[in-house]
């Protein structure tokens, strides 16, 4: 995939947005042999400080941009890896909810509804961007130890199709119920996001798609 090139007198690492910006990262993780396809999944996103659902101008588009094909990522035509929204001035915390629907007849019971609620705290930092992708601020995370010197995709606060497989370090509250032929999974956890620069969002560069340059330019 081509690398992002930004021709500017300012270093890419200092690139930042004009407005306070949140990088949403809706990701659904499935297990091997589940047989889930892109067309089996639908996504909607809400934020507690907004009166209407979060929808990119071109609608949510699901892709599998990571080398690990067990992750389905919500994005748009402008950004394949998540979506950017403006944070109101003074917004210090809020809840983002990812609503996933999965219909796959080969996997009992055939219908799944995943509600993933994340209590976000927007902390101080070097920039004006808050990213839900921990890989973008790995060095500041609790996982940046001698044993985990490189970002690990599984450490992110990803939604899951099944309650099995949650890392205890996430301290997530997970409950599930089976009703009327549908399995409901509710995930509730919290995440503190440090303020970083837009240039620190290296995963957008790496996995964001060919049109991500225009997306980033629009945020400058």
């Amino acid at each position: 995939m081509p690398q992002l090139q930004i021709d500017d007198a300012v270093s890419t690492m200092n690139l930042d947005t004009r407005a306070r910006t949140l990088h949403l990262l809706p990701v659904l993780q499935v297990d091997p042999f589940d047989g889930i396809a892109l067309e089996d999944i639908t996504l909607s996103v809400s934020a507690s400080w907004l009166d209407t659902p979060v929808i990119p101008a071109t609608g949510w588009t699901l892709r599998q941009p990571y080398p690990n094909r067990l992750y389905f990522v919500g994005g748009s035509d402008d950004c394949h890896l998540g979506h950017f929204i403006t944070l109101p001035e003074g917004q210090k915390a809020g809840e983002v909810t990812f609503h996933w629907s999965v219909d796959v007849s080969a996997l009992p019971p055939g219908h799944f509804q995943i509600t993933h609620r994340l209590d976000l705290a927007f902390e101080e930092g070097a920039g004006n961007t808050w990213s839900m992708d921990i890989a973008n601020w790995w060095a500041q995370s609790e996982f940046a130890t001698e044993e985990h010197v490189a970002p690990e995709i599984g450490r992110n606060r990803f939604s899951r199709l099944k309650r099995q497989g949650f890392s205890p370090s996430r301290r997530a509250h997970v409950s599930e119920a089976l009703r009327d032929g549908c399995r409901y999974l509710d995930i509730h956890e919290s995440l503190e996001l440090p303020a970083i620069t837009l240039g620190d969002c290296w995963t957008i560069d790496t996995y964001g798609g060919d049109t991500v340059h225009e997306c980033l330019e629009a945020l400058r």
Side-chain angles (χ1 to χ4, degrees), residues 168-190:
S169 63
R170 287 175 59 170
R171 299 182 292 277
H173 176 75
V174 184
S175 61
E176 65 178 345
L178 183 62
R179 299 192 304 270
D180 301 324
C182 181
R183 185 171 298 279
Y184 295 86
L185 188 69
D186 185 89
I187 308 164
H188 191 191
E189 55 189 327
S190 60

Side-chain angles (χ1 to χ4, degrees), residues 97-139:
T97 305
F98 301 135
H99 309 269
W100 301 91
S101 296
V102 181
D103 292 312
V104 53
S105 58
L107 185 65
H111 305 282
F112 299 81
Q113 293 286 339
I114 300 98
T115 301
H116 188 180
R117 297 175 293 144
L118 294 113
D119 295 321
L120 302 180
F122 307 115
E123 304 292 336
E124 299 296 324
N128 217 23
T129 303
W130 288 263
S131 174
M132 294 183 68
D133 189 345
I134 294 177
N136 288 323
W137 42 276
W138 182 264

Side-chain angles (χ1 to χ4, degrees), residues 49-191:
W49 61 92
L50 298 175
D51 296 329
T52 58
V54 178
I55 306 175
T58 55
W60 286 106
T61 301
L62 295 177
R63 297 180 175 89
Q64 293 176 293
Y66 297 130
N68 189 328
R69 305 294 287 179
L70 300 181
Y71 294 88
F72 296 86
V73 182
S76 65
D77 287 351
D78 293 330
C79 182
H80 292 188
L81 197 72
H83 180 57
F84 292 99
I85 63 173
T86 300
L87 275 178
E89 289 296 329
Q91 184 83 29
K92 298 297 185 181
E95 182 181 270
V96 167
T97 305
F98 301 135
H99 309 269
W100 301 91
S101 296
V102 181
D103 292 312
V104 53
S105 58
L107 185 65
H111 305 282
F112 299 81
Q113 293 286 339
I114 300 98
T115 301
H116 188 180
R117 297 175 293 144
L118 294 113
D119 295 321
L120 302 180
F122 307 115
E123 304 292 336
E124 299 296 324
N128 217 23
T129 303
W130 288 263
S131 174
M132 294 183 68
D133 189 345
I134 294 177
N136 288 323
W137 42 276
W138 182 264
Q140 303 178 52
S141 76
E142 68 269 35
F143 305 117
T145 66
E146 293 183 359
E147 295 180 358
H148 304 289
V149 295
E152 298 177 61
I153 191 172
R155 297 290 185 176
N156 266 305
R157 303 300 196 267
F158 292 160
S159 312
R160 278 191 58 84
L161 185 67
K162 303 170 185 175
R163 68 177 300 164
Q164 296 85 0
F166 280 90
S167 168
S169 63
R170 287 175 59 170
R171 299 182 292 277
H173 176 75
V174 184
S175 61
E176 65 178 345
L178 183 62
R179 299 192 304 270
D180 301 324
C182 181
R183 185 171 298 279
Y184 295 86
L185 188 69
D186 185 89
I187 308 164
H188 191 191
E189 55 189 327
S190 60
L191 184 61

Side-chain angles (χ1 to χ4, degrees), residues 1-4 12-13 23 66-67 81 84 131 133-139 149-153 156 196-209 212 216:
M1 183 175 293
Q3 293 294 303
L4 174 67
T12 299
M13 292 305 294
H23 169 220
Y66 297 130
L81 197 72
F84 292 99
S131 174
D133 189 345
I134 294 177
N136 288 323
W137 42 276
W138 182 264
V149 295
E152 298 177 61
I153 191 172
N156 266 305
I196 62 175
T197 66
L198 183 61
D200 287 329
C201 290
W202 66 271
T203 57
I204 299 296
D205 177 356
T206 305
Y207 302 112
V212 73
L216 295 180

